[in-house]
């Protein structure tokens, strides 16, 4: 009897297992068929997308960066393509033409695209208060406020130039202390550049040896590494709540708590007659709109509430540190590979600036070659190969194709600035493409948009251009950068995180 009951139990278990297996197979077939039949009609062309996987396998097995693969597909299928970027995701529209990008992102554009959050970004922290990720009218107001705040803090004025040159002197002193020994310039340059946005945002700079400063920079590096287009965190955002991304969660928590502490200190010591930084300007903006609302019953809502000030400051701190720092690192690694470029920069510095004073923004018009080198670095190795993502807010027609509502839009800046149809031999580093025939004037190119374009172009473009010129000229005025003895020249392949960064390298800074 017991054996019979055991046999019946086993048969029951087997039937249950088979039913579950059948249900799983049916569900998988249903998902695949559903995905196949719900594909929007008349999408732009693109490579064949596997059911469920999309083009994920082709992108990850190519051995190239995603922006390079997407640029190659643009050459094959057209400047507007549809691509399945991640498993189980809908296809995205990839734009690789600057004129189309400007049309989509212009302030008067007829097409309706809006900022889209990445799957991971929305899990990391609340978006409210963000300068980068805000949408609609909030985004317009945030941009207006941000540009005004930068002007109040000296962007475009002599006061900021003096601040950058002062920081450049600190950087030069620390590099001199290496005494021609090989060193990794990454952290030093990040500290110097970060201190500019820190002084604008927090009201003060950090000492280079401050351990909290190093932890802030390390934490933001982890955030950028895990929110890139090719990162596992963005591909599989559910991992954020698993041990795999525990370090990321800890880094976000540290940055948030630090900035919240600074904000609270500012709120406690706020003086409406003395604005120290952007935090004070934000507090004033919020208080002003609250007072209007209390007087008339209704009034304009604050751009950022008190409890979300930290989020906007985190945006400024991260973006203001990473992009300019890595452009300078790309510049140094490139002159290691092309020493003749460094010689020409130094010759121009000798002729225009000399050695008895620091460079000034007033020198920029007289230094076309140096400006051309900086532009060519941004073209060939843009730290932002993509803009932040967008999504459509309604269906529209684009170049004869139907772009559905709610579909992701990726703007491939790298493809635009490395398009062989636009640039002669784009893979070559050639500052001359930005110079007139006599080498005395800069040439503007429509397809050169390293800071993006339109209503969501980089908020800190003016600040970044000033920093790049002054830091670069200060460094090349005082040093000649050389590879360590026996070291090979950099390959310039780079690492794609949220931004495109050079691989770690060491250098000798020989004092001039």
């Amino acid at each position: 009897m017991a054996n019979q009951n055991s046999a019946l139990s086993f048969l029951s278990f087997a039937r249950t297992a088979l039913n579950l297996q059948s249900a799983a197979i049916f569900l998988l077939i249903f998902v695949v068929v559903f995905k196949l039949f719900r594909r929007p009609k008349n999408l732009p062309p693109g490579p064949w997308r596997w059911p469920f996987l999309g083009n994920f396998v082709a992108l990850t097995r190519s051995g190239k960066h995603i922006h390079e693969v997407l640029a190659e597909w643009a050459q094959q299928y057209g400047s507007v393509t549809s691509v399945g970027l991640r498993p189980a995701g809908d296809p995205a529209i990839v734009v690789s033409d600057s004129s189309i990008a400007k049309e989509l992102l212009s302030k008067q554009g007829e097409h309706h695209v809006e900022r889209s959050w990445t799957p991971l970004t929305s899990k990391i922290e609340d978006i409210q208060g963000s300068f980068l990720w805000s949408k609609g009218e909030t985004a317009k107001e945030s941009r207006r406020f941000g540009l005004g705040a930068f002007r109040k803090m000296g962007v475009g004025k002599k006061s900021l130039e003096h601040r950058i040159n002062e920081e450049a002197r600190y950087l030069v002193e620390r590099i001199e202390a290496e005494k021609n020994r090989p060193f990794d310039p990454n952290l030093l340059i990040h500290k110097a550049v970060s201190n500019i946005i820190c002084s604008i945002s927090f009201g003060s700079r950090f000492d280079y040896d401050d351990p909290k400063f190093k932890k802030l920079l390390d934490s933001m590096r982890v955030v950028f590494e895990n929110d890139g287009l090719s990162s596992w965190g963005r591909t599989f955002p559910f991992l954020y709540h698993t041990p795999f991304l525990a370090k990321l969660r800890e880094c976000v928590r540290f940055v948030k708590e630090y900035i919240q502490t600074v904000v609270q200190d500012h709120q406690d010591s706020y003086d409406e007659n003395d604005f120290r930084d952007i935090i004070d300007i934000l507090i004033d903006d919020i208080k002003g709109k609250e007072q209007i609302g209390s007087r008339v019953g209704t009034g304009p809502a604050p751009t950022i509430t008190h409890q979300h000030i930290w989020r906007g400051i985190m945006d400024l701190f991260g973006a203001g540190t990473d992009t300019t720092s890595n452009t300078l690192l790309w510049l140094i690694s490139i002159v290691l590979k092309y020493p003749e470029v460094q010689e020409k920069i130094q010759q121009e510095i000798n002729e225009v600036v000399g050695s008895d004073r620091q460079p000034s923004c007033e020198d920029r018009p007289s230094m076309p070659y140096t400006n051309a080198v900086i532009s060519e670095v941004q073209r060939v190795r843009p730290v932002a190969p993509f803009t932040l993502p967008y999504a459509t807010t309604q269906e529209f027609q684009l170049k004869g194709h139907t772009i559905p509502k709610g579909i992701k839009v990726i703007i491939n800046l790298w493809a635009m600035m490395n398009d062989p149809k636009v640039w002669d031999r784009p893979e070559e580093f050639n500052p001359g493409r930005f110079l007139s025939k006599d080498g005395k004037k800069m040439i503007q190119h429509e397809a050169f948009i390293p800071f993006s374009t339109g209503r969501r172009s980089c908020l800190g473009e003016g600040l970044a251009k000033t920093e790049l010129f002054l830091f670069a000229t200060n460094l090349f005025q005082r040093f000649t950068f050389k590879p360590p003895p026996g070291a090979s020249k950099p390959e310039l392949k780079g690492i794609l995180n949220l931004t495109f960064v050079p691989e770690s390298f060491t250098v000798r800074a020989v004092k001039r």
Side-chain angles (χ1 to χ4, degrees):
M1 188 68 175
N3 289 338
Q4 184 177 4
N5 288 336
S6 297
L8 290 172
S9 297
F10 176 77
L11 288 173
S12 177
F13 172 78
R15 282 195 296 269
T16 301
L18 286 171
N19 289 337
L20 290 173
Q21 186 180 40
S22 299
I25 292 172
F26 173 79
L27 181 61
L28 178 60
I29 293 172
F30 174 80
V31 169
V32 170
V33 172
F34 179 74
K35 286 284 186 181
L36 284 172
F37 281 93
R38 73 182 291 267
R39 287 183 177 179
K41 303 299 182 183
N42 195 33
L43 277 179
W48 164 254
R49 297 189 297 276
W50 288 95
F52 186 76
L53 292 176
N55 301 115
F56 178 74
V57 175
L59 288 168
T60 55
R61 294 182 61 182
S62 67
K64 300 179 180 180
H65 294 303
I66 289 180
H67 55 264
E68 295 175 310
V69 179
L70 294 179
E72 290 176 358
W73 286 348
Q75 294 297 318
Q76 183 177 355
Y77 298 102
S79 54
V80 181
T81 56
S82 56
V83 179
L85 294 175
R86 64 189 186 93
D90 291 328
I93 303 301
V94 181
V95 176
S96 303
D97 179 272
S98 59
S99 61
I100 298 174
K102 290 176 181 180
E103 180 184 350
L104 286 173
L105 303 180
S106 68
K107 295 178 181 178
Q108 291 80 31
E110 297 178 359
H111 302 304
H112 298 270
V113 295
E114 185 55 272
R115 174 71 75 235
S116 173
W117 301 337
T118 71
L120 186 61
T121 299
S122 55
K123 288 182 177 294
I124 288 177
E125 273 301 339
D126 190 349
I127 302 300
Q128 188 173 350
S130 172
F131 286 106
L132 298 178
W133 301 101
S134 57
K135 299 182 180 182
E137 291 302 316
T138 301
K140 293 179 182 179
E141 177 63 14
S142 294
R143 183 173 181 83
R144 181 204 62 76
F145 172 86
L147 291 171
F150 273 139
R151 285 193 295 270
K152 290 178 181 178
M153 294 310 302
V155 174
K157 300 178 183 178
K158 276 286 187 182
S159 58
L160 181 66
E161 178 183 330
H162 293 325
R163 191 178 304 180
I164 296 172
N165 267 336
E166 181 183 20
E167 194 62 45
R169 289 196 294 271
Y170 290 123
L171 176 61
V172 166
E173 289 174 3
R174 294 303 291 261
I175 294 176
E176 283 180 347
E178 298 295 337
K179 299 185 182 300
N180 294 343
R181 295 179 299 237
F183 71 102
D184 183 346
N186 188 310
L187 188 55
L188 273 180
I189 286 180
H190 270 79
K191 287 178 178 179
V193 172
S194 184
N195 264 336
I196 303 303
I197 196 65
C198 285
S199 65
I200 292 173
S201 300
F202 301 147
S204 61
R205 65 181 297 276
F206 287 91
D207 184 85
Y208 286 11
D209 296 320
D210 188 327
K212 190 167 289 185
F213 189 27
K214 183 178 185 302
K215 189 171 182 180
L216 277 170
L217 294 175
D218 286 343
S219 296
M220 287 307 304
R221 175 183 53 79
V222 171
V223 173
F224 275 68
E225 286 177 352
N226 284 278
D227 203 15
L229 196 61
S230 59
S231 68
W232 288 104
R234 189 185 284 195
T235 304
F236 304 107
F238 63 85
L239 292 175
Y240 184 68
H241 299 291
T242 71
F244 290 102
L245 293 180
K247 185 176 181 181
L248 173 60
R249 294 197 303 274
E250 169 58 24
C251 288
V252 172
R253 183 197 63 78
F254 174 77
V255 174
K256 177 181 179 180
E257 290 181 356
Y258 176 81
I259 296 177
Q260 284 178 324
T261 299
V262 175
V263 171
Q264 186 60 56
D265 289 343
H266 276 61
Q267 289 173 333
D268 293 340
S269 59
Y270 169 74
D271 181 352
E272 63 180 11
N273 297 312
D274 181 20
F275 291 168
R276 297 160 291 186
D277 47 42
I278 290 180
I279 294 178
D280 278 345
I281 298 173
L282 278 167
I283 293 172
D284 180 72
D285 182 70
I286 295 170
K287 287 181 177 292
K289 289 177 179 176
E290 288 176 342
Q291 289 172 0
I292 293 173
S294 65
R295 287 198 303 267
V296 301
T298 59
T303 305
I304 300 176
T305 60
H306 286 292
Q307 62 266 36
H308 292 103
I309 289 176
W310 75 270
R311 189 62 176 82
I313 298 301
M314 179 180 175
D315 286 350
L316 297 180
F317 173 70
T321 295
D322 187 85
T323 52
T324 301
S325 299
N326 283 306
T327 301
L328 289 170
L329 290 168
W330 275 121
L331 172 59
I332 294 173
S333 61
I334 282 172
V335 301
L336 293 180
K337 187 167 185 176
Y338 304 105
E340 67 278 8
V341 171
Q342 181 170 218
E343 292 174 6
K344 291 181 181 179
I345 292 174
Q346 290 174 329
Q347 180 181 348
E348 192 170 65
I349 291 173
N350 292 342
E351 295 172 353
V352 177
V353 183
S355 59
D356 296 332
R357 66 173 177 88
Q358 282 188 280
S360 163
C361 287
E362 294 177 357
D363 298 319
R364 288 173 71 178
S366 303
M367 301 180 68
Y369 185 79
T370 300
N371 290 312
V373 170
I374 293 172
S375 293
E376 180 68 347
V377 169
Q378 292 178 296
R379 183 198 68 81
V380 76
R381 288 296 181 269
V383 293
F386 305 101
T387 66
L388 294 179
Y390 294 89
T392 58
T393 57
Q394 68 180 44
E395 182 180 296
F396 59 88
Q397 298 295 309
L398 182 64
K399 303 301 178 184
H401 300 286
T402 302
I403 311 299
K405 179 181 178 180
I407 198 169
K408 287 285 188 350
V409 178
I410 306 296
I411 309 294
N412 190 346
L413 300 178
W414 190 91
M416 299 170 195
M417 295 189 290
N418 287 269
D419 186 348
K421 297 175 184 177
V422 177
W423 307 89
D424 182 38
R425 295 190 292 276
E427 71 282 356
E428 295 181 5
F429 184 82
N430 176 20
R433 69 178 85 245
F434 287 95
L435 292 171
S436 59
K437 289 184 179 180
D438 60 7
K440 295 181 179 180
K441 294 181 180 180
M442 283 282 290
I443 295 175
Q444 302 298 322
H445 293 276
E446 288 294 321
F448 180 66
I449 48 174
F451 297 100
S452 188
T453 184
R455 62 187 184 275
R456 298 305 294 264
S457 61
C458 177
L459 187 66
E461 179 177 350
L463 172 62
K465 287 180 175 179
T466 303
E467 288 178 313
L468 285 172
F469 177 79
L470 290 177
F471 275 119
T473 50
N474 270 280
L475 289 173
F476 290 119
Q477 182 189 47
R478 299 301 174 190
F479 303 105
T480 296
F481 293 97
K482 297 182 177 182
S488 58
K489 293 182 178 180
E491 294 184 4
L492 308 179
K493 182 173 177 57
I495 301 169
L496 182 60
N497 298 323
L498 184 59
T499 51
F500 189 34
V501 304
E503 295 169 298
S504 178
F505 65 93
T506 55
V507 66
R508 288 191 307 127
V510 180
K511 191 173 180 180
R512 298 181 65 203

